Amino acid sequence: MEITEVRIFPKEGLNNKLRAYATITIENAFVVRNIKVIEGKNGLFVAMPSRRMKDSCPKCGHKNEVRSKFCNECSASIPAKAPVAATPEAQHDARQSEHKDIAHPITVECRERIQRKVLDAYEAEKGKPKSI
Ligand SMILES: [Zn+2]
C-alpha cells in the first residue's frame, strides 16, 4: 500500500492540541480525510478520523451527546451509564471510548507509515512561508 499524496490543512491557534487536518491518498485511488495532527505530551502524533458516539434518549430515542444529563429533544433526564471515573487515566479511557475510528490501519507498520508521511508533510507545510 502506498500513500501517494498527503495534503495538510493547518489549524494553528484554533485549538492548542489540534495542529492540522490531513487528507491522504492511497495508491492514487482511495482518499481518507479528517486525519488529525495532534500535539501530544511526547510530541506530534496522528489520529485517525473518528466520530463521536451518541446516546439515545430512553424516552424519545433522540441521539444526544454522550454523557448529556438531559435530552435535547424532549428534556427527559438521561440516567448516567457509569460513575464518573476517578483517576485521570480512567477519565482519558472514558473520553476515548466516546470516539470511534471511521478508518484506521490495523498493523503497527501501516500506522507508522501513515504517521511518518503525514508528519513529514506537516513539517514541510509548516516550513513554508505564510501566504498573505
Ligand atoms: Zn428525549
Side-chain angles (χ1 to χ4, degrees):
M1 187 198 91
E2 203 182 330
I3 298 158
T4 45
E5 196 190 350
V6 181
R7 295 186 65 192
I8 298 292
F9 306 92
K11 291 285 170 201
E12 310 276 352
L14 270 179
N15 173 319
N16 52 8
K17 284 211 178 104
L18 174 65
R19 295 297 185 189
Y21 283 104
T23 295
I24 64 170
T25 306
I26 296 161
E27 305 270 337
N28 284 315
F30 191 85
V31 174
V32 181
R33 295 180 56 193
N34 269 28
I35 293 170
K36 285 167 242 162
V37 177
I38 292 169
E39 178 88 60
K41 246 187 286 177
N42 302 311
L44 292 170
F45 68 97
V46 167
M48 290 301 124
S50 64
R51 64 188 176 89
R52 271 182 85 90
M53 300 300 291
K54 306 266 183 176
D55 272 345
S56 306
C57 169
K59 202 173 166 193
C60 74
H62 180 76
K63 298 253 193 282
N64 294 287
E65 293 293 323
V66 171
R67 281 213 295 268
S68 301
K69 287 204 172 71
F70 299 97
C71 175
N72 281 330
E73 189 67 26
C74 71
S75 75
S77 76
I78 297 172
K81 280 223 173 73
V84 176
T87 66
E89 289 78 17
Q91 283 173 1
H92 179 77
D93 287 350
R95 268 199 301 276
Q96 291 302 303
S97 70
E98 290 170 18
H99 291 84
K100 270 240 190 312
D101 284 353
I102 293 168
H104 61 97
I106 57 172
T107 66
V108 174
E109 292 75 29
C110 182
R111 176 175 287 273
E112 281 177 353
R113 196 138 34 107
I114 292 173
Q115 175 151 295
R116 204 171 316 125
K117 275 272 195 183
V118 169
L119 292 184
D120 283 354
Y122 173 70
E123 295 296 340
E125 181 71 34
K126 233 176 45 172
K128 277 186 201 166
K130 286 214 161 53
S131 52
I132 301 162

